Amino acid sequence: MAKETFEIIEDVALLRTADTGWTRELTKVSWFHKPTTIDIRWWSPFKEKAGKGVSLSIEEAQLLLKGLQKCLENESCITESHNYLAGIEKEEVN
């Protein structure tokens, strides 16, 4: 298997930090010297390792943005998401 090579082009936003020090971030990344993608991904504390995440083309990121805007404008979407996430947190605690 080829060694994973990446270059973080831009750190856009920190979304979450886990107790382990890993961070979920929105970044612009070039994987294997290919065109830049928009990534939402977990990164190790010094960004030497990439964790689970998703890479989006510019077009996919634009569609995601439109979908998120539509969802966030719809109060029931926010409530449903909050209720879903609250249920997951309760399950993890129990």
Side-chain angles (χ1 to χ4, degrees):
M1 183 172 179
K3 182 182 183 300
E4 183 178 87
T5 60
F6 59 86
E7 178 186 1
I8 296 174
I9 306 300
E10 181 181 352
D11 292 317
V12 179
L14 172 64
L15 305 176
R16 182 176 175 195
T17 301
D19 293 339
T20 60
W22 281 64
T23 55
R24 182 182 295 153
E25 299 186 36
L26 176 63
T27 56
K28 292 182 181 178
V29 180
S30 173
W31 294 97
F32 301 101
H33 308 288
K34 293 184 179 179
T36 301
T37 60
I38 307 295
D39 267 42
I40 301 172
R41 180 170 311 281
W42 284 100
W43 293 97
S44 65
F46 299 102
K47 293 192 175 144
E48 71 277 4
K49 293 182 182 178
K52 291 183 180 180
V54 62
S55 296
L56 303 168
S57 67
I58 297 300
E59 294 79 15
E60 290 169 328
Q62 290 170 338
L63 290 170
L64 175 62
L65 176 60
K66 287 179 184 178
L68 288 170
Q69 287 172 329
K70 183 178 178 180
C71 183
L72 294 172
E73 290 170 359
N74 179 350
E75 187 176 317
S76 66
C77 174
I78 296 168
T79 303
E80 290 169 11
S81 296
H82 176 74
N83 291 340
Y84 174 76
L85 291 173
I88 290 174
E89 290 172 3
K90 287 179 184 175
E91 289 175 13
E92 289 177 354
V93 172
N94 293 332

